[in-house]
Amino acid sequence: MKAHQHNCSNGGTKGIGAQPHGDWSAFLLQRRYLFIWFVIALIPFAVVRAYFWHDQAVYEPDTPVDDSSHQTANNRSNPAPISLEQYTKPNNSVNSIGGTLNKHNSIEGTNGDHNSTFSSGDGECDLSNGKWIPDPSGPFYTNETCRAIQEHQNCMKHGRPDTDYLHWRWRPDSCELPQFNAAGFLNLVRGKILAFIGDSIGRNHMQSLVCLLSQVEDPRDIYNDGTDKFRRWYFPSYNFTLAVLWSPFFVKETTKEIEGTTRDQLKLHLDVADDRWTSELHEFDIVLISGGQWFLKSSIYLEKDEVVGCHYCPGTNYTQLGFYFAYRKALRLAFKVLTSSPEYKGLTFLRTFTPDHFENGRWDNGGSCERTLPYKNNEITMDGINIEMYKIQSEEFKKAAKEGAARGLKFKLLDTTWLSLLRPDGHPGPYRYSYPFAKDKNAKVQNDCLHWCLPGPIDTWSEFLLEFLKRESE
């Protein structure tokens, strides 16, 4: 700026007509400095816009904070209240599968009667349509009566002050859902092995079931790999085993170096199933697969050992295929293994996509879940990533069920997406840590708004599972 002032001063002293060439140079110099300062002033706005424009990261406490995990910012469900006339939950009937989204975020082609039988496949009423109602009886277990609760989900132990989230139960629209009967469940699975295959939410579900069943018999912890990713619980009086197998993508993962990528970039072989679960498939009588959240991570996709594309891979020349593409491929392959394996004769469940409830940010930049009551059915829409993942699951499940039936195999859809979407109050939030506000009531604490408190709403998933097993035994 000093040079700028000096030139202007000289021009003013000598007069307009004294040095016309010098005055024109000063004028251009002044314009140049104005332009430079204008560009500098825009930098903060560009930084802010870039921050909010990039995709949202998926929460997963089993991994460190990773800025390479991404999800579209506008793809989460919308908690803004709307009228009942504006929203219809996607009907789960067979006729609805493969439909398209209409302007009300429902799947076109439904019959609209909300008495669908897609989940059960046997003419029984659909458990997934209903609402949460108050239940004064409270949970079946506590942190003191179950030793299988993951620390991050142990909300009671960690000092969560409210308890209203424990006093609700799911009531289907057109039938009764009996309360969980641990002895009845164990009798139905006597002599069997039930395996949960998927990610940490699948493990969350398995631990919920262990807690429910342990009120009848305390199981033996017969195997733990040290990370809780592969674990088995055994109920000796019933000769029943619960297993969990970590496979968040269902397919082979690798970190091998590929030209144009770094070693730490995730690579998924979409045509090769993960042998961490396929190698043990022959042991299982019942398999429950679930997952989807991990596919939001930045990934390179391969088929026949050749890169076919990626999801969020800036700096490369790979085709941006997106995580929906990869999830459909991986789920289809998992179903193919289940329907074609000569050594597997079991009953297969697919549990549908689990929504998160982060508000006012992502998991790694201040997002939280402070609601203490369930949503009413007309207060939230199932849209964005929730409905897209739900559609993929429904479409691939229908194909697999048909192929499995040709081999005498049974496939059941455990449809928990909608009832879970209505429970923003059921997550650990800041209480994934022990007494997070003991020293500072205004402390900034990372929230978990994806996994579920135990006990909590997730216990209802096992009530669904029990109801299906009862139907199978009849």
Side-chain angles (χ1 to χ4, degrees):
M1 291 301 294
K2 288 184 178 180
H4 179 200
Q5 293 170 352
H6 177 73
N7 287 339
C8 288
S9 174
N10 287 345
T13 302
K14 296 198 176 281
I16 295 176
Q19 292 182 323
H21 180 74
D23 287 348
W24 178 247
S25 297
F27 173 76
L28 290 177
L29 186 62
Q30 182 181 24
R31 285 296 184 90
R32 185 175 67 180
Y33 277 109
L34 285 173
F35 176 77
I36 291 172
W37 279 109
F38 177 76
V39 171
I40 292 173
L42 286 177
I43 291 175
F45 295 98
V47 171
V48 170
R49 184 180 186 276
Y51 177 81
F52 286 104
W53 184 258
H54 79 70
D55 294 334
Q56 281 189 302
V58 58
Y59 177 84
E60 185 55 66
D62 293 300
T63 60
V65 174
D66 180 3
D67 287 337
S68 66
S69 297
H70 291 272
Q71 173 187 340
T72 304
N74 295 324
N75 274 352
R76 298 204 180 269
S77 291
N78 174 18
I82 58 175
S83 67
L84 280 171
E85 290 74 17
Q86 288 178 299
Y87 177 70
T88 303
K89 176 191 176 289
N91 187 291
N92 292 333
S93 66
V94 174
N95 291 335
S96 74
I97 304 307
T100 57
L101 294 179
N102 63 27
K103 64 181 179 181
H104 301 316
N105 300 317
S106 62
I107 299 178
E108 292 179 341
T110 65
N111 56 28
D113 59 8
H114 288 275
N115 293 318
S116 59
T117 60
F118 183 73
S119 293
S120 64
D122 54 12
E124 300 288 344
C125 81
D126 180 11
L127 302 176
S128 66
N129 285 295
K131 63 182 178 181
W132 290 98
I133 61 172
D135 179 16
S137 62
F140 291 94
Y141 61 92
T142 69
N143 61 304
E144 295 181 349
T145 63
C146 181
R147 57 189 175 91
I149 303 175
Q150 195 92 5
E151 277 297 302
H152 289 322
Q153 286 99 55
N154 204 335
C155 303
M156 287 181 166
K157 178 181 176 182
H158 286 179
R160 178 169 171 170
D162 63 305
T163 58
D164 287 347
Y165 72 98
L166 299 171
H167 295 279
W168 296 88
R169 81 172 268 100
W170 181 252
R171 186 175 73 184
D173 288 337
S174 55
C175 59
E176 290 297 321
L177 177 62
Q179 289 190 331
F180 191 83
N181 183 324
F185 189 103
L186 287 167
N187 278 315
L188 286 171
V189 295
R190 187 183 295 272
K192 300 183 185 299
I193 300 179
L194 165 57
F196 289 78
I197 299 170
D199 56 22
S200 57
I201 305 177
R203 180 178 60 206
N204 199 181
H205 184 190
M206 188 274 284
Q207 290 165 342
S208 164
L209 182 55
V210 171
C211 287
L212 290 166
L213 298 178
S214 65
Q215 305 313 297
V216 169
E217 180 175 54
D218 188 33
R220 297 177 188 169
D221 189 359
I222 60 173
Y223 178 75
N224 188 344
D225 72 335
T227 67
D228 285 334
K229 291 183 176 180
F230 296 86
R231 194 167 186 176
R232 296 196 180 202
W233 297 86
Y234 180 64
F235 295 80
S237 298
Y238 299 88
N239 188 26
F240 170 61
T241 301
L242 268 176
V244 63
L245 292 87
W246 177 263
S247 185
F249 300 106
F250 309 132
V251 298
K252 178 183 175 182
E253 307 168 43
T254 182
T255 55
K256 72 175 184 178
E257 292 188 35
I258 299 175
E259 186 177 354
T261 71
T262 61
R263 184 173 180 81
D264 60 350
Q265 276 186 300
L266 178 66
K267 289 94 176 175
L268 299 179
H269 294 258
L270 300 180
D271 57 345
V272 182
D274 183 359
D275 64 3
R276 292 179 296 182
W277 68 272
T278 60
S279 62
E280 300 185 34
L281 186 59
H282 64 281
E283 298 183 41
F284 306 140
D285 302 286
I286 306 169
V287 166
L288 194 157
I289 63 172
S290 61
Q293 293 281 355
W294 275 70
F295 284 84
L296 279 62
K297 293 178 69 67
S298 172
S299 307
I300 308 296
Y301 304 140
L302 298 93
E303 293 187 60
K304 298 180 180 179
D305 284 328
E306 296 291 334
V307 175
V308 296
C310 68
H311 167 59
Y312 194 77
C313 50
T316 72
N317 294 322
Y318 300 138
T319 304
Q320 293 280 347
L321 296 174
F323 61 87
Y324 293 135
F325 168 86
Y327 182 59
R328 185 182 293 277
K329 283 268 189 176
L331 185 59
R332 184 177 296 172
L333 180 61
F335 278 138
K336 182 178 180 181
V337 172
L338 290 162
T339 57
S340 62
S341 175
E343 297 180 326
Y344 176 66
K345 307 293 183 182
L347 171 64
T348 302
F349 289 92
L350 169 66
R351 183 180 51 73
T352 56
F353 189 70
T354 303
D356 68 54
H357 291 95
F358 287 99
E359 295 187 59
N360 303 313
R362 304 185 310 274
W363 67 272
D364 59 343
N365 71 346
S368 62
C369 40
E370 299 176 356
R371 298 176 188 264
T372 57
L373 293 172
Y375 286 120
K376 294 179 181 179
N377 284 23
N378 64 336
E379 290 180 330
I380 190 168
T381 63
M382 192 165 86
D383 54 16
I385 183 177
N386 294 324
I387 204 165
E388 291 300 326
M389 297 294 272
Y390 181 91
K391 278 185 63 185
I392 291 171
Q393 290 176 325
S394 298
E395 291 163 0
E396 295 304 317
F397 175 86
K398 182 183 177 183
K399 297 173 187 175
K402 183 177 180 180
E403 293 172 6
R407 286 195 56 225
L409 300 174
K410 291 186 177 181
F411 283 71
K412 302 295 178 183
L413 190 71
L414 207 64
D415 188 349
T416 58
T417 300
W418 176 242
L419 68 92
S420 303
L421 183 64
L422 296 174
R423 294 305 304 270
D425 57 322
H427 302 288
Y431 296 96
R432 70 185 301 261
Y433 302 104
S434 181
Y435 291 89
F437 305 111
K439 296 181 179 180
D440 180 0
K441 65 179 182 180
N442 297 316
K444 301 296 182 183
V445 181
Q446 186 185 69
N447 279 234
D448 180 354
C449 305
L450 174 61
H451 299 87
W452 301 89
C453 291
L454 295 181
I458 194 176
D459 295 326
T460 300
W461 297 359
S462 293
E463 292 182 333
F464 275 37
L465 182 59
L466 173 57
E467 185 64 19
F468 278 105
L469 292 174
K470 286 165 59 179
R471 294 175 184 179
E472 282 300 302
S473 69
E474 294 173 354

